[in-house]
Amino acid sequence: MDSLVRNYLDQYGVSDATRRFLAKPQKMFIDGAWVDSANGATFDIFEPSTGGLVTRAPSGTADDLDRAVRAARRQFDGGEWRRLKPLERERLLHRLADLIETHGDELAEIEAIDMGKSVTFAREIDIQGTVDTFRYFAGWPSKLHGRTVEPSIPGNYLAYTRKEPLGVVAAIVPWNFPLQTMAWKVAAALAAGCTVIVKPAELTSLSTLRFAELVQEAGFPDGVVNIVTGKGSVIGAAMSAHPGINKVTFTGSTPVGQEVGRTAVGNLKHVTLELGGKSPVLVLDDADLASAARAVANGVFFNSGQVCDAGTRVYVQRSVHDAFLDELIAVTRTLKLAPGLDRDCYIGPMVSAQQKKVVAGYIEAGRREGAKLVHGGATPEGPGHFIEPAIFAHCTPDMSIVREEIFGPVLVTSPFDTLEEAVSLANDTPFGLAAAIYSNDLARVHTLIPQLHAGSVYVNAHSTIDPSMPFGGFKDSGFGKDLGPEQLDYLMETKAVWITLP
Ligand code: NAP
Ligand code: MG
């Protein structure tokens, strides 16, 4: 750990538990053992509010992945895990949820230090969401079953279906909600009876490594959950190609998702792809402008705008456009830009210097293409990858800031006149992850919902997420669902059984 990070942790009084975790050498978790990479390689782990070095973790190889696959296969193909009764699986998942809750403050600090996000939101959203996800799926193993049917063909048969787990599931996870996104994939896979191998993003591997310690403490058999850290181009790519893996569940960018999907389907794996977004927000003329402005600002600036379903394209009915924009700017001024460990931080730094460069580049492109920057957009001096939230007005559909996913605190607005025009603007994108409507006119709201091409539609809210509701995109935002009972369908096979009766 360098002095930048050490001083930062001292300044904000980070817990002893977190310090102990950060001080020890990080290892991968394969077949219940803590191991280095097969070739001894490591990668550096940075803290985004200071830009300082925190620690190093193993940079895994295809051989490391292969060891993890063999362990996961052994457990799946008749190991101890496969022989557990459903209620025993539930008990392990509940125990894990309890342990995550007990260590919630520590996990929130680790997430804030590795990713740069607000420690307060990390505790309230990321960690609580992780606990809730494990609790929700813990209830499922005893409730997974097929059906018995009465066939009409000649003859006499007992016909029924069996739900069986898919097998070894590989999860490739991005850096914006590291622990929570991992939990979405792992909790459901374990509930279904699968075994898992996780590849966290290099930018944010630490919380997943701490999680693996809790998996061990909860008493899961060795090899049921494996964590292989390192490069996506090495491990992620090897996961898509490995014949011992039955499914790849990927959350990340659309181009990488397409590559993962091509390889995985090429060798007939199951695939879930949760990809990028450029979600539209429609503010109708009857909306409560003050509360809509708070929700819209939260819907795009939360997590410093590094949110896949962020409502980044805001279309406002013309008669309320200027008044709404004034409210939105006023709310945005109140959002505190600060280091992640500051308890009052609302907007933390971008996750990396590279991400800051990309976002700053889009703000520059917006100006160049003729959009009007009506708030923020500056990049403060000093350490850390900070960018002030930016609001652009008078944007046109051809601008790059309107068309492309930025993944930073940048919002574009323009007015519309009719609802037909609003729908056509909203759907004018290759993405289809989410959409939001602000209005109290039920008739208009219900007319709009079926016309929006998006996997989630939020009304008078944004990014409301609960483990009981499915999440996943349409169009270039991918396919398959995480969360809800729907996710289990993507993790189980249905076997049709025919028994001839005398
Ligand atoms: P990314 O570059 O696509 O990376 C996502 C993950 O894929 C990382 O673990 C990465 O590993 C790995 N990866 C990189 N190259 C790979 C390859 N060739 N084969 C297999 N895996 C590879 O995305 P990101 O920049 O981390 O995350 C931001 C993107 O994720 C945004 O587009 C956002 O919209 C999307 N996202 C979507 C959702 C959703 O639910 N729809 C949720 C969150 C984020 P390394 O980087 O460690 O090498
Ligand atoms: Mg980091």
Side-chain angles (χ1 to χ4, degrees), residues 75-93:
Q75 280 295 348
F76 186 79
D77 299 329
E80 183 189 348
W81 172 249
R82 201 58 196 282
R83 294 194 302 271
L84 288 183
K85 299 288 183 195
L87 284 176
E88 292 172 328
R89 237 160 56 228
E90 293 198 4
R91 195 153 55 97
L92 282 172
L93 285 163

Side-chain angles (χ1 to χ4, degrees), residues 109-128:
E109 286 180 342
I110 293 170
E111 206 73 307
I113 291 165
D114 200 1
M115 193 274 173
K117 64 172 62 201
S118 145
V119 69
T120 304
F121 289 140
R123 184 68 190 86
E124 288 171 7
I125 308 287
D126 298 67
I127 311 305
Q128 191 56 49

Side-chain angles (χ1 to χ4, degrees), residues 439-461:
S439 168
N440 292 305
D441 181 338
L442 278 179
R444 293 204 292 172
V445 167
H446 283 293
T447 308
L448 286 170
I449 289 169
Q451 298 184 68
L452 296 171
H453 302 156
S456 295
V457 176
Y458 306 116
V459 178
N460 296 327

Side-chain angles (χ1 to χ4, degrees), residues 15 31 42 48 109 119 133 159 194 264 288 291 332 343 345 362 399 412 457 488:
S15 70
D31 200 6
T42 60
E109 286 180 342
V119 69
T133 301
C194 297
D288 174 342
S291 71
T332 305
R343 303 232 151 238
C345 160
Y362 274 109
M399 293 175 175
V412 302
V457 176
L488 294 162

Side-chain angles (χ1 to χ4, degrees), residues 172-177 181 184 199-203 230-233 235-237 240 250-254 256-257 259-260 274-277 307-308 355 405 407 433 471 473 477 482:
I172 303 175
V173 180
W175 46 260
N176 56 341
F177 293 91
T181 307
W184 288 13
K199 196 214 87 70
E202 272 180 298
L203 288 170
K231 285 191 196 317
S233 56
I235 299 158
S240 323
F250 172 88
T251 297
S253 61
T254 296
V256 176
E259 195 182 317
V260 166
E274 304 272 8
L275 309 178
V307 177
C308 52
Q355 188 67 9
E405 181 179 48
F407 226 59
L433 194 51
F471 184 88
S477 295
D482 279 345

